[in-house]
Amino acid sequence: MHKLNKWIQNLLLAFIMSSSLTALFFSTPYAFLKIKVLQIPASMIVFFILSILVAEDVRNSFKKVFRYEQRKDKRSIWQVGVGMLFYFSQVGIVEVFFRSWMEPELGGMPLYLVISFLNAFIMTVIYEEIFYVEAIHQSR
């Protein structure tokens, strides 16, 4: 279960990095950055492959910056980290694949940000029930 958790987190982090770079470069005037393969930007595929190679190191560096291993109660920072992964992966999906969804607003705030936040909250709670096992071990 631990390896699956790490694998999912690395894939989400790689997707976040690749979708951010794709969204950043998609608005440039260079036509070769807008080539699509099966409705997926070719630059997204390249960036995703490169991001998979560095995702584990990026995830470990975040752990070092936030001193994850030194914390007694790791649950709160774990929830924030997983929630961030879910939130930014949903934002990346909208920015790369569904740019028309970026237009609707809710009181001046882009609606896709609000919906992504709500979804990330629910997904974090569900993900924690499946993968966060230290709370179960501490209660026994």
Side-chain angles (χ1 to χ4, degrees):
M1 222 38 170
H2 178 70
K3 283 190 174 203
L4 181 62
N5 177 28
K6 190 162 60 165
W7 184 75
I8 291 171
Q9 288 182 13
N10 287 343
L11 283 178
L12 285 171
L13 189 58
F15 182 80
I16 291 168
M17 291 187 290
S18 61
S19 63
S20 298
L21 287 171
T22 303
L24 180 70
F25 288 121
F26 199 75
S27 61
T28 62
Y30 303 114
F32 69 91
L33 290 173
K34 298 178 184 179
I35 297 171
K36 292 187 175 186
V37 177
L38 301 173
Q39 300 302 319
I40 300 172
S43 58
M44 173 81 176
I45 296 168
V46 172
F47 291 143
F48 185 70
I49 292 168
L50 294 174
S51 296
I52 286 176
L53 299 175
V54 298
E56 179 71 24
D57 294 330
V58 171
R59 198 171 62 82
N60 288 334
S61 66
F62 272 114
K63 282 183 173 182
K64 287 179 184 174
V65 167
F66 294 118
R67 297 183 181 147
Y68 182 75
E69 298 302 327
Q70 286 94 14
R71 294 177 182 266
K72 286 183 182 178
D73 183 22
K74 297 179 171 118
R75 182 175 183 216
S76 59
I77 197 76
W78 187 89
Q79 289 174 327
V80 170
V82 170
M84 179 218 49
L85 291 175
F86 286 132
Y87 175 74
F88 283 114
S89 61
Q90 291 175 71
V91 169
I93 288 171
V94 172
E95 289 179 344
V96 173
F97 298 106
F98 305 103
R99 291 187 75 82
S100 64
W101 292 4
M102 295 173 73
E103 296 172 13
E105 292 185 355
L106 179 65
M109 175 76 114
L111 192 57
Y112 78 99
L113 295 177
V114 175
I115 293 172
S116 295
F117 181 78
L118 296 173
N119 285 340
F121 178 77
I122 296 293
M123 291 169 72
T124 302
V125 171
I126 293 168
Y127 192 82
E128 180 183 21
E129 289 297 320
I130 296 170
F131 288 105
Y132 190 77
V133 295
E134 288 187 13
I136 296 169
H137 294 298
Q138 289 175 358
S139 65
R140 289 182 184 174

